[in-house]
Amino acid sequence: MNARRKPLWIGILLLTLGVALLLFMNYAKFSSTLEGRERARHTMLATHLAKTLEARLALGLELEDTAALQSAFRLELRHDARLRAIVALDAGGGRRIVVQDEAGDARAGAPELWEEARRAAASGQPMPERGQAGSLALPLQNAFGVRAGWLVLEYDLAATQKQAHQAFNRLWPGALLALAAAIVLLAILAPRMARGVQDAGEENDERRREQGRRAMRRLGVLLSLLLMLVQGAIAWRAYGLFSEVGAEDAPRLAATFAHTLTPGLERALALGIPIEDLRGVNDWLQPAFANGAEFARVAIENKDGRTLFLADNPAAGEDRAAAADSVFRFALTVRGETAGQLVVSLDPNPLAERTRQLGIEFATLLAIGVLLSMEVLHGMLARNRHAHSQHEQVDAGRMLARLRLPLFLYFTGSELARAFLPMWAKQLAQQPLPRLWEGTPLEQWFAPFALLPESLRSTLPISLFLLTIALVSPFAGRQSARHGPLRLLNTGLLLALGGHVAALLADSLLTLCVARVLTGASSGFITVAAFDYIGRSGARARGMAVYLAAYVAAGICGAGLGSLLVDRAGTSGVFALGIAFTLLAALSLLHMPRQTHAAHAPTPLSGALLHLLRQPRFLGLLVLVGLPMQLLQQGLLFYWAPLALSAQGESTSFIGLTMMAYFFLVLLLNAPAARWADRSGRHAAIVLAGLALAGAMALLAALADTPAAIALAVAAIGVIWAAGFPAQGALVLRLGEHDLAGVAPTVAIGVYRMVERIGAMLAAPAIALMVAGAGYAGTSGLIGALLLLCALLQGWLLLRDRKSVATVADDGV
């Protein structure tokens, strides 16, 4: 292919893939959000029906199919057109009461869906869906608090899916027009920008090659701008369309809420009691507010519109003056005549919060689409630059550019399960061992595992993952020193593939634990191999910035994609995508540039470990920099900050925006900071300044103790991590290469990472203990003081080392 046309076709392909990716994610978001809202509405109705059945059980009656219950449940079916069936099951799952709509007999798979819903509710799993049918189950208790049965609702999702289709059908034509406009603009500008791009071997002089590199950079900037413009337009249009669809949710929510109240009121009025003479109405209305914070006020008016009874939700905001479009009236009828009205007022604050949260979710989808597209573009450009440089020595910058895409693809695949892994582990804790082992010797051998407390079992997948990283890191360093980093990268990808396959087939907690151990081993291998590759390239801080950028971008993309996909395709779909990402990472490693450095002959791990523990510089860097940085990130940022903001009454959307600020500041600043660190050589000064700034910001958050101060501290941590992580990595690499004679640099890196991972494991529990004793503000103050102390001690050590070096130099003179 002609070198001038190749960038055009690459750009067209990339733009098309970027638009297709964002359209897919938006459609999945439409469907999952609408289905979630429908499930929440039917949960409200199920709670109301469960109270009716539990009232019978409290009287000592059984769950029996009586005419009165049949009549009441059929009224519910006629009220809600989307309700398919109401089923009462006994404690063992036997069907006692079954009321279906007219098409119920034609749905052969409905009984299986009801049983699946019962099992899911019993084990804490998500409610199952099948085709156009959703389900939910609630436990029923008798007067003694003993579970006596289950209430199961089957409801129709066809209307919800139709809403998603309609919104999507209004979205994709505009997206295609935007794509066509971008392609036309690219076709006009790309040939002019590609004039400096020459086929390999066409021109060998350095001037022509530099022209080609500049042309590729210009094309990359053009493609980046076009991608962001097109995807931004799609995201904005999608948010507007979904806001229109979501506006239909409020009246249906109010109608369902009112329906849980009107039958009781109408029964009282049917006894002949005038509506003005009803007693205890306010107290009777108050428990209804447990259905949600969206409901601000319930009032009962007579036929003339005069308010007789009024109940306010204590959880609602002080300003309950709802807008006209948030107030809904429902007639109270007795013998066909209107006796009054039930007035439901929705609180505008939770509704506005839900809209803000929706905006954040669509902005997150846009960020995922842009980051994925940009990383693929970066990888294509890096590969193309290497292809045009095949007759010259590959410099450090190009080596590191080629490393970024494999790391991004690998980390994206490994981060897919982050959002749902704790919940999934808790569900699988109900099934410790594989079902195929039942009645076999394996079940007896692993019986101690099954006897562990359930609360402990559910934490094992995450704990084993972190522990495996810590244990394999020194071994990985030894293998990288012996066989080179590229071989270790491929080994890590093979382990990751095994971890995804095991998770895909997991039907028990033990299988998931095996999967997480494989994934942890792959993470340890990949990380140490990447650090070794960076160390051999020579551009240490820039290399660590490449690693950090790939990890952070993959964290945003992987967690978002995983949480979106698990709603649509389940865990099997998530890990199937993880397999695909791992295979793509392996393909992108093909023809990677190899360093000229020879592999080392590493010393035994035990001897290396003893040697490292006797090195003051290594211990100082580990104890005064590495562990405090982990306490800062894993403890203060990821654990303390969300809890502190929540304790101050901040919304989920504000917390999400605050945490996103950290990630995007890291992505924005880490590469420039790393380039400046490598040019200036002031890695130690950058690390010290970062620790001191982190301590000062933690103290500020403690003294001010306001959401704004906490948000400012989180943003500052983003800046600190963007500058400090690459500089810290450069210090470790330089220390391992020059100051630890007798120990291979990769072994030193492995040991350093091992202790870091142990610190990461202990950071959150340590912060939790501090919060329990000193509160959130006190904990921030203690962490701030600790970080400042570490910065002072590390600065003193560095100053002492410089003085000793200067003294030796003077003596030599």
Side-chain angles (χ1 to χ4, degrees), residues 255-567:
T256 303
F257 179 76
H259 182 67
T260 64
L261 298 174
T262 50
L265 289 170
E266 290 176 344
R267 280 195 299 270
L269 296 174
L271 296 175
I273 305 173
I275 191 170
E276 293 84 356
D277 296 336
L278 293 175
R279 295 291 181 266
V281 176
N282 289 348
D283 294 336
W284 178 77
L285 290 173
Q286 203 64 42
F289 290 119
N291 286 308
E294 296 92 348
F295 309 105
R297 172 176 291 174
V298 180
I300 298 175
E301 299 176 349
N302 62 11
K303 291 187 293 184
D304 300 328
R306 182 166 60 91
T307 300
L308 302 175
F309 308 100
L310 184 67
D312 288 325
N313 188 349
E318 295 181 1
D319 183 13
R320 295 186 175 89
D325 57 357
S326 299
V327 178
F328 303 90
R329 287 177 163 79
F330 304 92
L332 298 172
T333 59
V334 179
R335 302 181 186 92
E337 295 183 1
T338 300
Q341 292 186 108
L342 180 70
V343 183
V344 177
S345 300
L346 298 182
D347 189 348
N349 294 329
L351 296 177
E353 171 61 24
R354 190 165 64 179
T355 301
R356 285 193 295 269
Q357 187 65 34
L358 184 65
I360 292 173
E361 291 171 358
F362 276 96
T364 304
L365 292 182
L366 173 61
I368 292 172
V370 169
L371 287 174
L372 275 170
S373 303
M374 292 301 176
E375 291 297 331
V376 173
L377 172 62
H378 186 278
M380 287 182 173
L381 293 177
R383 196 175 187 90
N384 191 69
R385 285 197 297 268
H386 175 56
H388 285 290
S389 305
Q390 58 185 347
H391 297 297
E392 58 179 313
Q393 184 178 2
V394 181
D395 61 21
R398 291 174 192 154
M399 290 169 60
L400 296 175
R402 284 292 308 275
L403 179 65
R404 180 168 172 169
L405 183 60
L407 288 178
F408 171 77
L409 292 171
Y410 162 75
F411 283 128
T412 300
S414 64
E415 291 290 317
L416 289 171
R418 177 186 288 273
F420 63 88
L421 183 63
M423 288 74 76
W424 191 37
K426 186 176 181 180
Q427 295 163 14
L428 288 180
Q430 304 285 333
Q431 180 66 41
L433 302 178
R435 290 186 176 89
L436 293 176
W437 289 9
E438 293 179 1
T440 66
L442 289 173
E443 185 180 25
Q444 299 177 0
W445 296 344
F446 286 88
F449 178 83
L451 294 176
L452 292 173
E454 184 177 330
S455 58
L456 176 60
R457 289 202 305 264
S458 62
T459 64
L460 284 177
I462 298 174
S463 300
L464 288 174
F465 171 78
L466 295 173
L467 181 62
T468 304
I469 295 177
L471 293 179
V472 306
S473 292
F475 175 75
R478 179 179 171 83
Q479 294 303 308
S480 186
R482 173 174 293 175
H483 302 293
L486 290 180
R487 179 171 173 178
L488 196 65
L489 283 170
N490 285 296
T491 304
L493 290 176
L494 186 60
L495 289 169
L497 189 64
H500 288 308
V501 171
L504 179 67
L505 302 175
D507 64 344
S508 66
L509 186 67
L510 182 62
T511 311
L512 179 60
C513 288
V514 172
R516 297 307 293 171
V517 166
L518 290 172
T519 305
S522 73
S523 181
F525 276 40
I526 293 287
T527 300
V528 172
F531 286 2
D532 188 18
Y533 194 91
I534 291 165
R536 298 186 190 201
S537 71
R540 296 182 180 92
R542 279 183 291 167
M544 297 303 295
V546 166
Y547 174 90
L548 182 61
Y551 180 76
V552 171
I556 297 173
C557 296
L561 280 175
S563 60
L564 191 63
L565 191 60
V566 74
D567 288 335

Side-chain angles (χ1 to χ4, degrees), residues 161-172:
Q161 294 170 357
K162 183 179 179 182
Q163 281 182 297
H165 291 325
Q166 289 174 342
F168 184 72
N169 288 337
R170 295 172 62 188
L171 176 65
W172 68 262

